[in-house]
């Protein structure tokens, strides 16, 4: 898929949840083709401590409004600077990067989309595309506390939503892999994105249940093009650059202790 280096205009920056901002970007031309699971690299201007671009998952693509949505967790100087953007500002973006999730070939599929923290971001775009294909997704989203569960009303537009929080402030108390829905229902495909320990637990569940599972890795990705080797992951096929060969990989390719 062709890559573009373009300046996009900020339409809005909205605080959603305790530590997240939703940035909506647009262009005078139709946005490039993008698929769920891909990401972008953002240049952060005006931050003397931020030398490298910041990789951000594609949260949603609104074709009617010609908008690209990015859900950003504010955790350092670079992301804080991004959160301070204003409507009308310009953001330099390299996109689309990486490979996306495998889409189902039948409307009878029963996909489970498991996300934790800011890892829920690419699952919204995936859920949108699944629904457009006539497939109803089930979302299982987890966080430390209720304020760390952003955009729930949007997730509910695309499928069923089940929640866990570590403090019990929303949904069931505990981790996503402890949710009761996993014992009550079966699924034909599992997609996951979030902290690595969470994804490894999801992968173990998928392997035990004999369900195909893809995970979106969040290794440090500096260039997004496979040149800097910051994001190397060991696989059954040797070392791969997550930004180029991933970020989405089937768990069968990973050397995780499952």
């Amino acid at each position: 898929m062709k890559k573009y280096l373009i300046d996009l205009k900020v339409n809005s920056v909205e605080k959603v949840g305790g530590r997240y901002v939703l940035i909506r970007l647009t262009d005078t031309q139709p946005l490039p083709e993008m698929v769920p699971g891909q990401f972008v690299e953002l240049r952060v201007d005006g931050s003397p401590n931020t030398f490298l671009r910041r990789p951000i998952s594609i949260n949603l693509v609104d074709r009617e409004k010609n908008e690209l949505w990015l859900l950003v967790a504010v955790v350092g100087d670079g992301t804080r600077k991004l959160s301070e953007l204003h409507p009308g500002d310009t953001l330099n973006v390299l996109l689309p990067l990486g490979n996306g999730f495998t889409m189902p070939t039948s409307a009878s599929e029963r996909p489970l989309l498991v996300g934790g923290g800011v890892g829920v971001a690419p699952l919204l775009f995936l859920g949108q595309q699944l629904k457009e294909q006539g497939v109803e997704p089930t979302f299982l989203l987890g966080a430390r506390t209720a304020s760390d569960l952003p955009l729930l009303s949007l997730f509910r537009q695309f499928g069923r939503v089940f929640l866990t929080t570590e403090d019990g402030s929303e949904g069931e108390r505990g981790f996503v892999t402890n949710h009761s829905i996993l014992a009550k229902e079966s699924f034909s495909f599992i997609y996951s994105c979030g902290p690595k320990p969470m994804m490894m637990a999801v992968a173990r569940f998928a392997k035990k249940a004999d369900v195909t599972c893809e995970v979106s890795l969040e290794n440090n990705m500096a260039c997004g093009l496979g040149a800097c080797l910051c994001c190397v992951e060991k696989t059954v096929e040797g070392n791969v650059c997550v930004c180029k060969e991933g970020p989405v990989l089937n768990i069968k390719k990973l050397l995780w202790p499952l």
Side-chain angles (χ1 to χ4, degrees):
M1 188 175 290
K2 184 176 179 180
K3 299 173 178 59
Y4 300 82
L5 183 62
I6 52 180
D7 289 328
L8 297 181
K9 186 181 77 172
V10 177
N11 265 359
S12 66
V13 180
E14 176 189 358
K15 186 174 182 181
V16 287
R19 62 189 184 102
Y20 301 106
V21 292
L22 177 63
I23 303 175
R24 293 184 174 93
L25 304 171
T26 191
D27 195 16
T28 55
Q29 303 295 321
L31 291 168
E33 188 66 26
M34 292 169 267
V35 298
Q38 290 184 309
F39 67 100
V40 305
E41 288 271 4
L42 306 178
R43 189 182 72 200
V44 182
D45 297 324
S47 177
N49 296 321
T50 308
F51 303 103
L52 301 173
R53 289 178 177 265
R54 289 295 182 263
I56 303 293
S57 297
I58 296 172
N59 182 217
L60 194 73
V61 178
D62 187 332
R63 289 294 173 187
E64 290 186 4
K65 295 182 179 179
N66 197 41
E67 284 186 340
L68 166 64
W69 292 19
L70 303 175
L71 183 66
V72 178
V74 182
V75 294
D77 290 341
T79 50
R80 184 173 65 252
K81 195 66 180 179
L82 292 172
S83 74
E84 295 170 353
L85 290 167
H86 297 92
D89 287 346
T90 297
L91 191 58
N92 186 262
V93 185
L94 177 62
L95 81 166
L97 299 172
N99 298 303
F101 295 105
T102 301
M103 300 301 288
T105 57
S106 170
S108 63
E109 294 282 359
R110 302 192 69 250
L112 176 67
L113 285 58
V114 186
V118 76
V120 306
L123 301 184
L124 185 66
F125 189 18
L126 177 59
Q128 177 203 48
Q129 295 299 295
L130 288 171
K131 186 173 183 180
E132 288 185 0
Q133 289 189 10
V135 178
E136 181 186 15
T138 297
F139 298 99
L140 176 53
L141 310 177
R144 290 190 298 268
T145 188
S147 62
D148 287 334
L149 290 166
L151 308 178
L152 292 183
S153 62
L154 294 174
F155 280 102
R156 290 183 173 117
Q157 291 180 19
F158 301 135
R160 300 183 303 158
V161 177
F162 297 89
L163 306 172
T164 67
T165 50
E166 293 177 29
D167 64 1
S169 56
E170 187 77 27
E172 295 186 10
R173 180 188 293 271
F175 302 116
V176 288
T177 47
N178 301 128
H179 197 285
S180 60
I181 189 68
L182 299 178
K184 295 176 181 177
E185 299 186 21
S186 60
F187 300 92
S188 59
F189 206 110
I190 298 176
Y191 306 92
S192 185
C193 185
K196 187 173 181 178
M198 184 212 77
M199 289 193 292
M200 293 179 70
V202 171
R204 285 192 289 269
F205 169 83
K207 182 180 180 181
K208 184 177 180 180
D210 194 25
V211 177
T212 301
C213 178
E214 289 183 344
V215 295
S216 181
L217 302 184
E218 296 186 326
N219 299 31
N220 291 327
M221 294 180 280
C223 72
L225 301 171
C228 68
L229 305 181
C230 288
C231 61
V232 168
E233 179 78 20
K234 294 181 180 180
T235 75
V236 296
E237 299 171 351
N239 291 342
V240 301
C241 290
V242 169
C243 68
K244 188 176 181 181
E245 304 299 328
V248 177
L249 293 172
N250 191 297
I251 62 170
K252 290 183 178 180
K253 292 186 177 181
L254 297 171
L255 295 177
W256 287 358
L258 304 179

